[in-house]
Amino acid sequence: MTRKLCLFIFFAFSSFLALSCEEDFNPQGEITDKYILNCIIRGDTTVQTAFLSKNYAVDGYDPLSYKTDPSVRNAVIKVWEGDSVYIFKEGTFIRSDSSRYGSTGYCYNAKYSPNVNKSIEIEAVLPNGKKLKGSSKVPSKIYIDYSLTDTLCPPAGKNNVFTAWISDETSVMFLPLFKIIYFKNVNGTDVRYEKPIPIGYKNKDGKNVAIYPKGIFNLSYAYDMEAINRAMREISEGDPNKDRYKILSLMVEITVLDRNLSAFYSAGHLQSDGYSITVDQADFTNITGGLGIFGSYIKRVTSIRINRDYIMSFGYKSGLEP
């Protein structure tokens, strides 16, 4: 498994693990061992990652004073899809913040690409024999409804770009997201970038934090052109050399969550930063024998052409030019 992918999922669970440990901490009562298994099966990768941790006790009242990595090692983790079984192997990753637990973190990785509309199960057998289990159903494939989806940005006579999709799923949530795909010339080489498009910003601790579309049960979404215009400007913000940028297309990314993740999202405990799905609270679990979350999601991606004159109005070049 690549370090980048391991880090991606680690950050998606880091706050979950920390809050779980803090909530379990009771300095005036007896501490019983509780184990936390986190694994989100991604339909857009061939490598999956699981994290296994446990609660802990500290002297005093500050859980951050605990400096021993609570990761549980030497466990056996398996995922079943029908008659097929996939075994996770212990791996490591480099933490971006090494101040508390050191630079090396531990996770479990398996080469596995889920099939849509399939039931899956996970089991973790700890070194002490304790078992943690969970189940999920990978969402069905979704299809872009090209008869309703706009084909050009900006669309004629409208102030939003509309996309629609078709799905057999019910009672699950969809996360729509638009991204601008572009190239920037760096030292003579065109480097590809993706710019997730926020629908707005909020002030948090004196900083502007991007807000992305919320999960919806509908099968369509309209992206306001003002948000797209702002994102186009932000691509080269602070750079006077606008002609270094080539705009390729508008990417439409629809993520469908399974029912576990949909329930978690509906309760306000999942969010997106435009690049990943993150867990920000820990009072939900679908793991028997312990705590944690086991879920799955898939993505469908398509693209919308961006008008050449619109691109040039920002001083950029069209990436589709011959």
Side-chain angles (χ1 to χ4, degrees):
M1 175 174 190
T2 65
R3 178 177 298 171
K4 180 179 179 182
L5 179 57
C6 197
L7 283 172
F8 171 90
I9 303 182
F10 169 74
F11 289 124
F13 290 123
S14 58
S15 57
F16 186 106
L17 298 179
L19 285 170
S20 295
C21 296
E22 292 172 25
E23 290 183 358
D24 292 335
F25 168 60
N26 181 0
Q28 300 180 1
E30 182 180 356
I31 300 296
T32 58
D33 287 342
K34 291 184 179 180
Y35 296 91
I36 305 107
L37 172 63
N38 288 307
C39 181
I40 293 181
I41 301 298
R42 301 171 51 196
D44 60 345
T45 181
T46 59
V47 179
Q48 310 299 335
T49 298
F51 291 88
L52 192 57
S53 183
K54 64 175 293 184
N55 64 337
Y56 52 82
V58 299
D59 295 328
Y61 293 85
D62 181 11
L64 297 180
S65 66
Y66 191 81
K67 301 296 184 180
T68 302
D69 190 344
S71 299
V72 176
R73 302 179 62 184
N74 301 315
V76 178
I77 300 179
K78 300 178 181 179
V79 164
W80 283 267
E81 181 187 295
D83 295 330
S84 300
V85 60
Y86 303 89
I87 301 175
F88 286 67
K89 296 182 179 180
E90 190 171 320
T92 62
F93 59 89
I94 303 301
R95 289 192 175 96
S96 60
D97 182 1
S98 60
S99 60
R100 186 177 182 189
Y101 296 137
S103 60
T104 302
Y106 299 94
C107 57
Y108 293 84
N109 310 313
K111 292 184 178 180
Y112 165 52
S113 181
N115 292 298
V116 297
N117 200 30
K118 293 293 185 179
S119 295
I120 54 177
E121 297 179 355
I122 192 170
E123 179 186 75
V125 181
L126 279 56
N128 61 8
K130 186 176 179 61
K131 295 182 179 180
L132 282 68
K133 297 182 179 181
S135 62
S136 170
K137 177 179 174 293
V138 181
S140 301
K141 188 174 182 179
I142 58 176
Y143 301 88
I144 301 299
D145 188 344
Y146 292 104
S147 66
L148 297 176
T149 297
D150 285 321
T151 58
L152 183 66
C153 173
K158 297 197 306 178
N159 60 2
N160 61 61
V161 179
F162 189 81
T163 185
W165 55 93
I166 300 168
S167 173
D168 293 331
E169 293 289 345
T170 58
S171 303
V172 299
M173 300 200 79
F174 302 90
L175 302 182
L177 182 65
F178 281 18
K179 298 180 179 181
I180 300 170
I181 309 302
Y182 68 98
F183 295 94
K184 179 181 177 181
N185 189 282
V186 180
N187 298 323
T189 301
D190 284 342
V191 181
R192 185 183 185 276
Y193 292 91
E194 296 182 2
K195 166 67 175 177
I197 302 177
I199 58 173
Y201 290 86
K202 64 180 179 181
N203 186 281
K204 184 177 181 181
D205 300 327
K207 297 181 179 180
N208 283 331
V209 179
I211 302 172
Y212 296 95
K214 295 181 178 180
I216 57 176
F217 292 102
N218 298 333
L219 299 179
S220 62
Y221 190 82
Y223 237 94
D224 195 284
M225 276 304 304
E226 283 302 315
I228 298 174
N229 294 341
R230 182 176 57 238
M232 287 285 286
R233 293 191 295 269
E234 290 174 348
I235 284 175
S236 63
E237 193 170 31
D239 186 353
N241 300 319
K242 308 299 182 182
D243 61 353
R244 294 201 301 158
Y245 299 83
K246 294 180 181 180
I247 308 301
L248 184 61
S249 64
L250 191 64
M251 177 189 288
V252 179
E253 182 180 275
I254 309 299
T255 301
V256 52
L257 308 179
D258 75 347
R259 295 197 176 191
N260 293 335
L261 296 183
S262 293
F264 204 49
Y265 193 106
S266 296
H269 305 329
L270 283 183
Q271 61 184 8
S272 173
D273 62 359
Y275 294 96
S276 62
I277 298 173
T278 61
V279 180
D280 62 1
Q281 297 188 46
D283 53 0
F284 172 90
T285 180
N286 67 332
I287 299 296
T288 59
L291 302 172
I293 178 73
F294 179 59
S296 58
Y297 69 82
I298 63 172
K299 289 184 179 181
R300 179 61 192 262
V301 176
T302 190
S303 61
I304 294 175
R305 187 168 61 89
I306 302 179
N307 181 277
R308 182 175 179 274
D309 291 337
Y310 174 74
I311 292 172
M312 294 179 64
S313 70
F314 293 91
Y316 305 144
K317 298 177 180 178
S318 173
L320 297 180
E321 291 179 349

